[in-house]
Amino acid sequence: MEIRRRQDRSTPSPEQTATRLVAELKGVLRQNENAEAAIDVYKTANWIIGELEKAKEEALKLAEEDIEQRELEDLDTPKGSAGWTEPKVPQLNEEAWARALGEHPRLREIQEAYDGARSALERAQRPYEELLEPRFTIR
């Protein structure tokens, strides 16, 4: 038990690692205060975010598989909880709708009228469209 405690103290937590990394990146900005360093930090941070998103997806998949395997509805832990959502907004089943359009001429008429009205509305709105203000970006 004592060995485990010493290991726990010597191994930084993910939060500590992330905090240190953010501090290092901010330190680079403060030390250099130029566009080259800012671009480098931005690109590095963007890469890290991408890698973290991959880790999140893996964690989500593993949690779902484990909870399903354990036949649980959900799971609460000191760090958070996991479970399935209950969708509140119905979503159109595109395949069923396409079949219905083929089977029911009245539905097809309604869809065609909607498509025509949407197209006419878009044309009518064009003179009122404006370009957004330029936005500074790093690529």
Side-chain angles (χ1 to χ4, degrees):
M1 184 74 158
E2 185 60 35
I3 294 171
R4 188 173 176 192
R5 285 185 186 162
R6 274 189 260 135
Q7 283 178 332
D8 288 348
R9 283 189 216 128
S10 65
T11 304
S13 70
E15 292 87 353
Q16 291 168 324
T17 301
T19 299
R20 181 186 52 75
L21 185 55
V22 168
E24 285 181 27
L25 291 173
K26 288 181 175 182
V28 169
L29 290 175
R30 281 191 302 276
Q31 288 172 353
N32 295 289
E33 293 188 350
N34 62 44
E36 290 82 0
I39 291 168
D40 185 37
V41 166
Y42 181 92
K43 297 293 280 186
T44 300
N46 205 36
W47 177 81
I48 292 167
I49 290 167
E51 293 302 303
L52 289 172
E53 287 296 330
K54 291 176 191 174
K56 279 176 48 179
E57 286 300 316
E58 286 180 36
L60 187 66
K61 182 179 177 191
L62 175 62
E64 181 179 357
E65 289 171 357
D66 186 45
I67 289 172
E68 280 181 346
Q69 185 178 33
R70 291 162 58 184
E71 298 179 355
L72 300 173
E73 291 291 320
D74 55 28
L75 180 66
D76 290 319
T77 75
K79 289 284 188 175
S81 61
W84 285 265
T85 63
E86 293 292 330
K88 304 276 191 251
V89 178
Q91 186 172 357
L92 180 64
N93 179 328
E94 297 289 342
E95 290 178 16
W97 179 245
R99 281 193 307 274
L101 290 176
E103 295 169 7
H104 303 286
R106 179 67 184 135
L107 292 179
R108 194 170 37 255
E109 288 173 18
I110 292 169
Q111 181 69 55
E112 289 169 357
Y114 171 80
D115 292 342
R118 184 179 59 202
S119 179
L121 177 63
E122 289 170 1
R123 283 191 306 276
Q125 289 175 335
R126 270 195 206 109
Y128 303 96
E129 292 175 352
E130 297 177 356
L131 291 176
L132 298 175
E133 288 295 317
R135 185 175 77 90
F136 187 80
T137 187
I138 295 174
R139 295 178 276 291

